[in-house]
Amino acid sequence: MADGMSAAVLYTAVTMVASYLICGIPFGKIIIALTMHKDIQKEGSGNIGTTNALRVGGPKVAALTLAFDLL
């Protein structure tokens, strides 16, 4: 019983750390930099989210940013 509980706690901790690290990736900034060679934080509202990606890069870039943010 204790062995199964230890595995569950370890799995939960690893999942939490991985989720935290993945959620910290600024996908809007990366996608705009790769596709348009611009710094999204110096354009539009200065935010790196989907709405500013739409302003700076257009609907395709915004959709891609939203998809990665949701994943």
Side-chain angles (χ1 to χ4, degrees), residues 1-40:
M1 180 86 166
D3 214 12
M5 185 67 131
S6 298
V9 170
L10 180 63
Y11 177 76
T12 301
V14 169
T15 302
M16 289 172 62
V17 170
S19 297
Y20 176 79
L21 293 173
I22 291 169
C23 288
I25 298 172
F27 290 111
K29 185 173 179 91
I30 293 169
I31 293 168
I32 291 287
L34 291 174
T35 59
M36 306 197 66
H37 307 290
K38 293 182 178 181
D39 184 3
I40 191 171

mmCIF file of all heavy atoms in Angstrom, residues 1-40:
data_model
loop_
_atom_site.group_PDB
_atom_site.id
_atom_site.type_symbol
_atom_site.label_atom_id
_atom_site.label_comp_id
_atom_site.label_asym_id
_atom_site.label_seq_id
_atom_site.Cartn_x
_atom_site.Cartn_y
_atom_site.Cartn_z
ATOM 1 N N MET A 1 0.822 -1.200 0.000
ATOM 2 C CA MET A 1 0.000 0.000 0.000
ATOM 3 C C MET A 1 0.864 1.262 0.000
ATOM 4 O O MET A 1 0.599 2.182 -0.752
ATOM 5 C CB MET A 1 -0.934 -0.030 1.224
ATOM 6 C CG MET A 1 -1.822 1.167 1.328
ATOM 7 S SD MET A 1 -3.294 0.902 0.365
ATOM 8 C CE MET A 1 -4.301 2.187 0.979
ATOM 9 N N ALA A 2 1.883 1.288 0.813
ATOM 10 C CA ALA A 2 2.738 2.470 0.891
ATOM 11 C C ALA A 2 3.525 2.672 -0.403
ATOM 12 O O ALA A 2 3.803 3.790 -0.791
ATOM 13 C CB ALA A 2 3.686 2.357 2.074
ATOM 14 N N ASP A 3 3.880 1.563 -1.053
ATOM 15 C CA ASP A 3 4.637 1.655 -2.298
ATOM 16 C C ASP A 3 3.801 2.319 -3.402
ATOM 17 O O ASP A 3 4.313 3.146 -4.152
ATOM 18 C CB ASP A 3 5.075 0.252 -2.732
ATOM 19 C CG ASP A 3 6.420 0.267 -3.413
ATOM 20 O OD1 ASP A 3 7.100 1.304 -3.338
ATOM 21 O OD2 ASP A 3 6.775 -0.753 -4.008
ATOM 22 N N GLY A 4 2.538 1.963 -3.499
ATOM 23 C CA GLY A 4 1.639 2.566 -4.481
ATOM 24 C C GLY A 4 1.404 4.040 -4.193
ATOM 25 O O GLY A 4 1.292 4.856 -5.104
ATOM 26 N N MET A 5 1.346 4.377 -2.916
ATOM 27 C CA MET A 5 1.147 5.767 -2.518
ATOM 28 C C MET A 5 2.373 6.610 -2.863
ATOM 29 O O MET A 5 2.245 7.730 -3.343
ATOM 30 C CB MET A 5 0.857 5.849 -1.022
ATOM 31 C CG MET A 5 0.522 7.232 -0.571
ATOM 32 S SD MET A 5 -1.036 7.749 -1.289
ATOM 33 C CE MET A 5 -1.836 8.338 0.136
ATOM 34 N N SER A 6 3.563 6.056 -2.667
ATOM 35 C CA SER A 6 4.799 6.764 -2.993
ATOM 36 C C SER A 6 4.886 7.029 -4.495
ATOM 37 O O SER A 6 5.308 8.105 -4.916
ATOM 38 C CB SER A 6 6.018 5.954 -2.560
ATOM 39 O OG SER A 6 6.017 5.769 -1.175
ATOM 40 N N ALA A 7 4.493 6.054 -5.295
ATOM 41 C CA ALA A 7 4.513 6.210 -6.746
ATOM 42 C C ALA A 7 3.528 7.291 -7.180
ATOM 43 O O ALA A 7 3.833 8.098 -8.070
ATOM 44 C CB ALA A 7 4.194 4.890 -7.430
ATOM 45 N N ALA A 8 2.370 7.314 -6.550
ATOM 46 C CA ALA A 8 1.362 8.321 -6.891
ATOM 47 C C ALA A 8 1.844 9.723 -6.535
ATOM 48 O O ALA A 8 1.649 10.677 -7.305
ATOM 49 C CB ALA A 8 0.048 8.019 -6.185
ATOM 50 N N VAL A 9 2.479 9.853 -5.378
ATOM 51 C CA VAL A 9 2.992 11.157 -4.957
ATOM 52 C C VAL A 9 4.110 11.609 -5.893
ATOM 53 O O VAL A 9 4.157 12.767 -6.310
ATOM 54 C CB VAL A 9 3.480 11.107 -3.490
ATOM 55 C CG1 VAL A 9 4.246 12.374 -3.116
ATOM 56 C CG2 VAL A 9 2.316 10.902 -2.552
ATOM 57 N N LEU A 10 5.000 10.704 -6.253
ATOM 58 C CA LEU A 10 6.092 11.024 -7.171
ATOM 59 C C LEU A 10 5.542 11.423 -8.535
ATOM 60 O O LEU A 10 5.971 12.414 -9.127
ATOM 61 C CB LEU A 10 7.052 9.841 -7.301
ATOM 62 C CG LEU A 10 8.233 10.065 -8.247
ATOM 63 C CD1 LEU A 10 9.116 11.198 -7.745
ATOM 64 C CD2 LEU A 10 9.034 8.786 -8.396
ATOM 65 N N TYR A 11 4.591 10.664 -9.047
ATOM 66 C CA TYR A 11 3.975 10.971 -10.341
ATOM 67 C C TYR A 11 3.313 12.344 -10.313
ATOM 68 O O TYR A 11 3.461 13.140 -11.246
ATOM 69 C CB TYR A 11 2.946 9.886 -10.701
ATOM 70 C CG TYR A 11 2.214 10.165 -11.984
ATOM 71 C CD1 TYR A 11 2.828 9.967 -13.213
ATOM 72 C CD2 TYR A 11 0.903 10.636 -11.980
ATOM 73 C CE1 TYR A 11 2.169 10.224 -14.401
ATOM 74 C CE2 TYR A 11 0.234 10.904 -13.150
ATOM 75 C CZ TYR A 11 0.870 10.695 -14.360
ATOM 76 O OH TYR A 11 0.221 10.965 -15.533
ATOM 77 N N THR A 12 2.606 12.651 -9.232
ATOM 78 C CA THR A 12 1.944 13.950 -9.098
ATOM 79 C C THR A 12 2.965 15.082 -9.057
ATOM 80 O O THR A 12 2.795 16.109 -9.725
ATOM 81 C CB THR A 12 1.073 13.979 -7.826
ATOM 82 O OG1 THR A 12 0.101 12.937 -7.916
ATOM 83 C CG2 THR A 12 0.372 15.316 -7.662
ATOM 84 N N ALA A 13 4.035 14.899 -8.306
ATOM 85 C CA ALA A 13 5.059 15.932 -8.202
ATOM 86 C C ALA A 13 5.741 16.180 -9.551
ATOM 87 O O ALA A 13 5.956 17.329 -9.952
ATOM 88 C CB ALA A 13 6.090 15.549 -7.151
ATOM 89 N N VAL A 14 6.078 15.112 -10.261
ATOM 90 C CA VAL A 14 6.726 15.249 -11.570
ATOM 91 C C VAL A 14 5.784 15.945 -12.560
ATOM 92 O O VAL A 14 6.198 16.820 -13.321
ATOM 93 C CB VAL A 14 7.188 13.877 -12.100
ATOM 94 C CG1 VAL A 14 7.603 13.955 -13.564
ATOM 95 C CG2 VAL A 14 8.321 13.345 -11.255
ATOM 96 N N THR A 15 4.520 15.587 -12.536
ATOM 97 C CA THR A 15 3.527 16.193 -13.419
ATOM 98 C C THR A 15 3.365 17.687 -13.114
ATOM 99 O O THR A 15 3.282 18.505 -14.030
ATOM 100 C CB THR A 15 2.173 15.476 -13.289
ATOM 101 O OG1 THR A 15 2.350 14.098 -13.594
ATOM 102 C CG2 THR A 15 1.135 16.072 -14.214
ATOM 103 N N MET A 16 3.350 18.036 -11.845
ATOM 104 C CA MET A 16 3.214 19.441 -11.456
ATOM 105 C C MET A 16 4.415 20.269 -11.916
ATOM 106 O O MET A 16 4.257 21.368 -12.454
ATOM 107 C CB MET A 16 3.030 19.562 -9.941
ATOM 108 C CG MET A 16 1.685 19.078 -9.455
ATOM 109 S SD MET A 16 1.543 19.008 -7.665
ATOM 110 C CE MET A 16 1.761 20.708 -7.222
ATOM 111 N N VAL A 17 5.611 19.740 -11.735
ATOM 112 C CA VAL A 17 6.819 20.461 -12.148
ATOM 113 C C VAL A 17 6.857 20.601 -13.670
ATOM 114 O O VAL A 17 7.152 21.683 -14.201
ATOM 115 C CB VAL A 17 8.091 19.759 -11.623
ATOM 116 C CG1 VAL A 17 9.346 20.346 -12.237
ATOM 117 C CG2 VAL A 17 8.155 19.859 -10.109
ATOM 118 N N ALA A 18 6.546 19.536 -14.393
ATOM 119 C CA ALA A 18 6.542 19.591 -15.859
ATOM 120 C C ALA A 18 5.502 20.593 -16.361
ATOM 121 O O ALA A 18 5.783 21.377 -17.267
ATOM 122 C CB ALA A 18 6.271 18.207 -16.436
ATOM 123 N N SER A 19 4.326 20.592 -15.773
ATOM 124 C CA SER A 19 3.271 21.526 -16.164
ATOM 125 C C SER A 19 3.702 22.970 -15.917
ATOM 126 O O SER A 19 3.481 23.852 -16.751
ATOM 127 C CB SER A 19 1.990 21.252 -15.388
ATOM 128 O OG SER A 19 1.500 19.983 -15.695
ATOM 129 N N TYR A 20 4.323 23.202 -14.777
ATOM 130 C CA TYR A 20 4.802 24.547 -14.450
ATOM 131 C C TYR A 20 5.822 25.021 -15.475
ATOM 132 O O TYR A 20 5.760 26.155 -15.955
ATOM 133 C CB TYR A 20 5.412 24.544 -13.043
ATOM 134 C CG TYR A 20 6.017 25.857 -12.647
ATOM 135 C CD1 TYR A 20 5.219 26.912 -12.220
ATOM 136 C CD2 TYR A 20 7.393 26.049 -12.691
ATOM 137 C CE1 TYR A 20 5.767 28.130 -11.864
ATOM 138 C CE2 TYR A 20 7.951 27.258 -12.331
ATOM 139 C CZ TYR A 20 7.143 28.290 -11.910
ATOM 140 O OH TYR A 20 7.691 29.490 -11.558
ATOM 141 N N LEU A 21 6.758 24.167 -15.830
ATOM 142 C CA LEU A 21 7.798 24.542 -16.787
ATOM 143 C C LEU A 21 7.238 24.762 -18.187
ATOM 144 O O LEU A 21 7.619 25.708 -18.877
ATOM 145 C CB LEU A 21 8.900 23.487 -16.812
ATOM 146 C CG LEU A 21 9.724 23.374 -15.524
ATOM 147 C CD1 LEU A 21 10.673 22.186 -15.610
ATOM 148 C CD2 LEU A 21 10.462 24.651 -15.225
ATOM 149 N N ILE A 22 6.327 23.903 -18.621
ATOM 150 C CA ILE A 22 5.731 24.034 -19.952
ATOM 151 C C ILE A 22 4.873 25.299 -20.037
ATOM 152 O O ILE A 22 4.907 26.011 -21.040
ATOM 153 C CB ILE A 22 4.917 22.776 -20.315
ATOM 154 C CG1 ILE A 22 5.870 21.603 -20.532
ATOM 155 C CG2 ILE A 22 4.051 23.015 -21.544
ATOM 156 C CD1 ILE A 22 5.194 20.267 -20.634
ATOM 157 N N CYS A 23 4.146 25.603 -18.981
ATOM 158 C CA CYS A 23 3.286 26.791 -18.996
ATOM 159 C C CYS A 23 4.093 28.081 -18.984
ATOM 160 O O CYS A 23 3.566 29.143 -19.324
ATOM 161 C CB CYS A 23 2.331 26.768 -17.813
ATOM 162 S SG CYS A 23 1.047 25.525 -17.997
ATOM 163 N N GLY A 24 5.348 28.016 -18.621
ATOM 164 C CA GLY A 24 6.194 29.191 -18.601
ATOM 165 C C GLY A 24 6.797 29.532 -19.956
ATOM 166 O O GLY A 24 7.464 30.551 -20.099
ATOM 167 N N ILE A 25 6.563 28.703 -20.954
ATOM 168 C CA ILE A 25 7.129 28.951 -22.281
ATOM 169 C C ILE A 25 6.309 30.045 -22.972
ATOM 170 O O ILE A 25 5.103 29.908 -23.137
ATOM 171 C CB ILE A 25 7.121 27.662 -23.137
ATOM 172 C CG1 ILE A 25 7.988 26.592 -22.479
ATOM 173 C CG2 ILE A 25 7.603 27.961 -24.551
ATOM 174 C CD1 ILE A 25 7.886 25.230 -23.135
ATOM 175 N N PRO A 26 6.945 31.138 -23.380
ATOM 176 C CA PRO A 26 6.220 32.239 -24.035
ATOM 177 C C PRO A 26 6.009 31.958 -25.526
ATOM 178 O O PRO A 26 6.736 32.456 -26.386
ATOM 179 C CB PRO A 26 7.145 33.433 -23.815
ATOM 180 C CG PRO A 26 8.511 32.833 -23.782
ATOM 181 C CD PRO A 26 8.341 31.476 -23.147
ATOM 182 N N PHE A 27 5.005 31.156 -25.834
ATOM 183 C CA PHE A 27 4.787 30.725 -27.218
ATOM 184 C C PHE A 27 4.543 31.893 -28.166
ATOM 185 O O PHE A 27 5.016 31.883 -29.297
ATOM 186 C CB PHE A 27 3.633 29.723 -27.295
ATOM 187 C CG PHE A 27 3.965 28.390 -26.697
ATOM 188 C CD1 PHE A 27 3.362 27.963 -25.526
ATOM 189 C CD2 PHE A 27 4.900 27.562 -27.289
ATOM 190 C CE1 PHE A 27 3.685 26.740 -24.973
ATOM 191 C CE2 PHE A 27 5.225 26.337 -26.749
ATOM 192 C CZ PHE A 27 4.616 25.925 -25.582
ATOM 193 N N GLY A 28 3.810 32.906 -27.741
ATOM 194 C CA GLY A 28 3.557 34.058 -28.603
ATOM 195 C C GLY A 28 4.853 34.743 -29.009
ATOM 196 O O GLY A 28 5.054 35.091 -30.175
ATOM 197 N N LYS A 29 5.733 34.919 -28.056
ATOM 198 C CA LYS A 29 7.022 35.567 -28.338
ATOM 199 C C LYS A 29 7.862 34.722 -29.284
ATOM 200 O O LYS A 29 8.468 35.236 -30.226
ATOM 201 C CB LYS A 29 7.769 35.795 -27.021
ATOM 202 C CG LYS A 29 9.048 36.558 -27.170
ATOM 203 C CD LYS A 29 9.636 36.877 -25.810
ATOM 204 C CE LYS A 29 10.936 37.613 -25.917
ATOM 205 N NZ LYS A 29 10.789 39.040 -25.924
ATOM 206 N N ILE A 30 7.880 33.419 -29.073
ATOM 207 C CA ILE A 30 8.672 32.512 -29.908
ATOM 208 C C ILE A 30 8.124 32.463 -31.329
ATOM 209 O O ILE A 30 8.881 32.554 -32.309
ATOM 210 C CB ILE A 30 8.705 31.102 -29.278
ATOM 211 C CG1 ILE A 30 9.487 31.133 -27.966
ATOM 212 C CG2 ILE A 30 9.305 30.095 -30.246
ATOM 213 C CD1 ILE A 30 9.354 29.879 -27.142
ATOM 214 N N ILE A 31 6.815 32.318 -31.469
ATOM 215 C CA ILE A 31 6.210 32.185 -32.793
ATOM 216 C C ILE A 31 6.385 33.467 -33.610
ATOM 217 O O ILE A 31 6.737 33.414 -34.790
ATOM 218 C CB ILE A 31 4.720 31.782 -32.680
ATOM 219 C CG1 ILE A 31 4.622 30.366 -32.109
ATOM 220 C CG2 ILE A 31 4.018 31.883 -34.019
ATOM 221 C CD1 ILE A 31 3.234 29.955 -31.688
ATOM 222 N N ILE A 32 6.165 34.620 -32.984
ATOM 223 C CA ILE A 32 6.353 35.895 -33.696
ATOM 224 C C ILE A 32 7.822 36.063 -34.092
ATOM 225 O O ILE A 32 8.128 36.487 -35.209
ATOM 226 C CB ILE A 32 5.886 37.090 -32.839
ATOM 227 C CG1 ILE A 32 4.372 37.088 -32.684
ATOM 228 C CG2 ILE A 32 6.358 38.411 -33.429
ATOM 229 C CD1 ILE A 32 3.582 37.470 -33.907
ATOM 230 N N ALA A 33 8.728 35.716 -33.199
ATOM 231 C CA ALA A 33 10.157 35.854 -33.505
ATOM 232 C C ALA A 33 10.566 34.947 -34.665
ATOM 233 O O ALA A 33 11.348 35.351 -35.529
ATOM 234 C CB ALA A 33 10.988 35.528 -32.269
ATOM 235 N N LEU A 34 10.034 33.733 -34.706
ATOM 236 C CA LEU A 34 10.394 32.794 -35.769
ATOM 237 C C LEU A 34 9.745 33.135 -37.114
ATOM 238 O O LEU A 34 10.367 32.960 -38.159
ATOM 239 C CB LEU A 34 10.017 31.366 -35.376
ATOM 240 C CG LEU A 34 10.831 30.731 -34.249
ATOM 241 C CD1 LEU A 34 10.248 29.372 -33.882
ATOM 242 C CD2 LEU A 34 12.286 30.618 -34.631
ATOM 243 N N THR A 35 8.518 33.610 -37.083
ATOM 244 C CA THR A 35 7.804 33.842 -38.342
ATOM 245 C C THR A 35 7.982 35.250 -38.892
ATOM 246 O O THR A 35 8.027 35.431 -40.103
ATOM 247 C CB THR A 35 6.294 33.565 -38.182
ATOM 248 O OG1 THR A 35 5.763 34.416 -37.163
ATOM 249 C CG2 THR A 35 6.036 32.114 -37.837
ATOM 250 N N MET A 36 8.059 36.243 -38.015
ATOM 251 C CA MET A 36 8.072 37.625 -38.481
ATOM 252 C C MET A 36 9.357 38.367 -38.134
ATOM 253 O O MET A 36 9.524 39.512 -38.536
ATOM 254 C CB MET A 36 6.874 38.368 -37.902
ATOM 255 C CG MET A 36 5.562 37.660 -38.198
ATOM 256 S SD MET A 36 4.160 38.694 -37.963
ATOM 257 C CE MET A 36 4.406 39.877 -39.249
ATOM 258 N N HIS A 37 10.217 37.742 -37.344
ATOM 259 C CA HIS A 37 11.484 38.354 -36.918
ATOM 260 C C HIS A 37 11.257 39.693 -36.218
ATOM 261 O O HIS A 37 11.946 40.663 -36.467
ATOM 262 C CB HIS A 37 12.442 38.514 -38.100
ATOM 263 C CG HIS A 37 12.653 37.235 -38.841
ATOM 264 N ND1 HIS A 37 13.349 36.174 -38.319
ATOM 265 C CD2 HIS A 37 12.224 36.829 -40.060
ATOM 266 C CE1 HIS A 37 13.355 35.180 -39.176
ATOM 267 N NE2 HIS A 37 12.667 35.546 -40.240
ATOM 268 N N LYS A 38 10.241 39.714 -35.344
ATOM 269 C CA LYS A 38 9.917 40.897 -34.553
ATOM 270 C C LYS A 38 9.898 40.520 -33.082
ATOM 271 O O LYS A 38 9.775 39.354 -32.728
ATOM 272 C CB LYS A 38 8.537 41.446 -34.924
ATOM 273 C CG LYS A 38 8.414 42.012 -36.301
ATOM 274 C CD LYS A 38 7.019 42.566 -36.513
ATOM 275 C CE LYS A 38 6.865 43.183 -37.880
ATOM 276 N NZ LYS A 38 5.527 43.741 -38.078
ATOM 277 N N ASP A 39 9.995 41.530 -32.227
ATOM 278 C CA ASP A 39 9.829 41.333 -30.790
ATOM 279 C C ASP A 39 8.416 41.764 -30.435
ATOM 280 O O ASP A 39 8.097 42.957 -30.477
ATOM 281 C CB ASP A 39 10.865 42.147 -30.020
ATOM 282 C CG ASP A 39 10.811 41.898 -28.514
ATOM 283 O OD1 ASP A 39 10.013 41.050 -28.065
ATOM 284 O OD2 ASP A 39 11.586 42.557 -27.793
ATOM 285 N N ILE A 40 7.564 40.806 -30.089
ATOM 286 C CA ILE A 40 6.152 41.089 -29.834
ATOM 287 C C ILE A 40 5.977 42.043 -28.656
ATOM 288 O O ILE A 40 5.002 42.778 -28.585
ATOM 289 C CB ILE A 40 5.359 39.782 -29.624
ATOM 290 C CG1 ILE A 40 3.851 40.049 -29.633
ATOM 291 C CG2 ILE A 40 5.771 39.100 -28.347
ATOM 292 C CD1 ILE A 40 3.006 38.806 -29.642
#
